[in-house]
Amino acid sequence: MDYVFVKDSEGYVFKKLESEVSPDEKIISEKEYLKVSGLTSYEKKFGHGGAREHNINYSALMQM
């Protein structure tokens, strides 16, 4: 199953199977998908890697 990123006639973007793309949808790049969907800014703001902004040590709490 091959997935592609598409943009519909109203400007919404999503990921779907290549076989399910309709004629009114345009296949776009993953980079454009991330930019239009807002996922790029979400990753920049909140990041990944498990960092905790409130600095609570869950291991110490679980031992109580």
Side-chain angles (χ1 to χ4, degrees):
M1 289 199 243
D2 292 328
Y3 286 94
V4 293
F5 301 100
V6 295
K7 185 179 208 178
D8 66 7
S9 60
E10 295 178 2
Y12 293 104
V13 294
F14 42 94
K15 181 179 175 181
K16 68 188 311 186
L17 287 173
E18 188 173 11
S19 61
E20 296 178 352
V21 176
S22 64
D24 66 330
E25 296 171 333
K26 176 183 171 188
I27 296 176
I28 59 174
S29 68
E30 183 177 6
K31 185 176 181 178
E32 183 179 354
Y33 167 77
L34 291 172
K35 183 178 178 183
V36 174
S37 67
L39 292 174
T40 302
S41 60
Y42 176 82
E43 288 178 2
K44 285 181 184 177
K45 184 175 180 181
F46 297 104
H48 291 286
R52 303 193 193 286
E53 292 183 23
H54 46 67
N55 299 319
I56 293 176
N57 185 342
Y58 287 102
S59 297
L61 288 174
M62 294 301 290
Q63 293 175 0
M64 294 180 158

